[in-house]
Amino acid sequence: MDIPRLKAIARELRVDVIRMLAEAGSGHPGGSLSAADIVTVLFFHKMRHRPAEPDWPDRDRFVLSKGHCVPILYAALAKTGYFPSEELLTLRKLNSRLQGHPDRVRFPYVEAATGSLGQGLSLALGMALALRLDKRPSRVYCMISDGESESGQVWEAALAAPKFKTDNLTVFLDYNKVQLSGHVKNIMDLDPLPEKWRAFRWHVLEIDGHDMAAIGDALREAEATTGRPTVIVAHTVKGKGVSFMEDKWEWHGKAPNREEAERAVQELLAHPV
Amino acid sequence: MAKASRLAFGEALARLGGEHPEVVVLDADLSKSTMTDLFARKYPERFFDLGIAEGNMVGVAAGMALAGKVPFCCSFACFVAGRFEQIRMSVGYNRANVRIVGTHAGIGIGEDGYSQMATEDIACMRSIPNMAVVQPADAVETERAVEYLVRHRGPVFLRLTRQKLEDVNPPDYRFEFGRGVILKEGGDVTLLATGGVVWEALKAAEALAARGFAARVVNIHTIKPLDEDVILDSLRRTRGIVTVEDHGIHGGMGSAVAEAAAQAGAGFVRRIGVRDFAESGDPAGLYRKYGLSAEHIVAEAEKLLR
């Protein structure tokens, strides 16, 4: 695991996110930045995928259930070579493939349309079951948010996956503690969150979601776990890497203006990796 | 022989499972009622009971479809089509190749009452882009429709009944997706019906014949895409159309027909459907009370014939 390389990539992806959102004039920086390190480890270290053969049947799948954070996914897909980076700046514009939330028909490099929160884990579970029926080696990774964990469907899926022993399914819970209109603990307190997943019979890991080595270790442990799915509760910081966005609900769904974007980029680039 | 379309569906699925390994079946603790139990017993490794959690079931079915399977996602029509948000997003928007199967549709289920009666499901499902809506009228049509739907590409809502349906089609019936079936020719009025009430429309046509009126009877098994040709042809050849369905009056087959007729600026459409929250009771009594029985169809037709 080349941690300096991964850190450098994560920084570039964060810069891409800021530039995309500033150009679009709208979008969700906070959760895109909190997810950046996990997305980096998945796409540039862990997942088996072929940018030149996007529909390779044996690829690992990544379902971004928190679909509003798709800018970080677009940035990762561009950097791995699925599509030209210049296209990133068309985000949210008329006739662009890069919808505000992922659309797999317009843009087939995402595994599923998401954005109506609470639905992605069910999709990922369905993929895991189908891939296992076909005896494929593929693993399915799903990223959910803390805010969407307030939705009942997440827990329906959480109840179902251990029944079917889908050990090819790994969930990242991007636990950044902040949602659209405030801190999660004030909107709908989820604690104790790891205990809830344990009670649902998942293999539960708890990590610092900005620690590349910890993300890599957790993924190895998930892969080695048989007979049940793994959830990695990743403690993260909303807006991570841009000081004026960190832990601020105001930056859940607001794009930086030109000046703010420039400050954010300077700060990201000044930060040693 | 009279048979419930849910039973014909379950039997067809169990028969087709062998030659179609891509078919998987999902249910929400109702497999003994939806008749997917017949498939489950033959192919347990391809049957998934998701418990009483239909929203998750819809999402799991969509995920399976995105990984190449042909899922039949089954429950009572009100419970599965009631998961509109999951269906529009996870199935519809993804163009996931899922068959949403709703059994026990309409007030014809009888004694269980309104909470188990789907009367808004067609309206919801047909509002989703690319979602086809199919409702067979008898056992043979159900069997042929399921044979077709295994191969169809794209999301479909299949609407089935709890109650037994009389045969309206011949045993050698061929199912043509998107095409209305003219069961009886007549030049005075057209009765367009879908599902179990096609039989009521045929009875109404007989009663009209006794009064000297020739009714054309058309079975609309595919509500979306709608066979606009047979509708416009019926408006040209007869004095008007009466639509009949065991579904709410808003947004169902009758609405679809009225939209097509209005768009073409052609003729009169009178709609028969459920106009309120229904209640417990025997199916025949409910059809009389809520205006779906042959005598109501005759009365509506006579309004056009006056």
Side-chain angles (χ1 to χ4, degrees), chain A residues 113 116 119 122 134 153 163, chain B residues 49 56 69 85-86 90 94:
Chain A
S116 174
Q119 300 192 26
S122 304
D134 289 344
Q153 190 179 339
K163 164 184 166 171
Chain B
D49 195 331
N56 179 52
K69 298 296 173 193
E85 169 55 14
Q86 285 85 358
S90 288
N94 275 318

Side-chain angles (χ1 to χ4, degrees), chain A residues 99 102-106 111-116 119 122-123 125-127 129-130 133-134 153 156-157 160 163-164, chain B residues 24 45-46 48-50 52-57 59-60 62-64 66-67 69 85-86 89-90 93-95:
Chain A
Q99 294 290 293
D103 173 339
R104 79 170 279 279
V105 175
R106 282 191 178 83
E111 294 290 350
T114 51
S116 174
Q119 300 192 26
S122 304
L123 289 163
L125 172 57
M127 290 176 194
L129 288 166
L133 267 181
D134 289 344
Q153 190 179 339
E156 292 181 2
K163 164 184 166 171
F164 295 111
Chain B
V24 291
E45 72 289 353
R46 282 189 278 144
F48 301 87
D49 195 331
L50 278 302
I52 306 167
E54 295 81 3
N56 179 52
M57 174 173 73
V60 170
M64 289 175 158
L66 294 178
K69 298 296 173 193
E85 169 55 14
Q86 285 85 358
M89 185 69 207
S90 288
Y93 194 33
N94 275 318
R95 277 50 145 212

Side-chain angles (χ1 to χ4, degrees), chain B residues 131-183:
Chain B
M131 176 74 74
V133 178
V134 172
Q135 172 163 243
D138 67 5
V140 67
E141 189 164 270
T142 304
E143 200 180 320
R144 300 288 174 266
V146 175
E147 287 167 6
Y148 166 76
L149 290 179
V150 167
R151 296 181 181 86
H152 179 87
R153 297 291 301 172
V156 181
F157 175 54
L158 176 64
R159 190 178 200 253
L160 303 171
T161 63
R162 168 185 182 272
Q163 69 273 26
K164 288 183 178 175
L165 302 180
E166 299 293 337
D167 294 335
V168 299
N169 293 298
D172 62 350
Y173 174 77
R174 284 184 58 238
F175 177 82
E176 273 188 85
F177 177 75
R179 293 290 296 276
V181 182
I182 299 165
L183 294 172

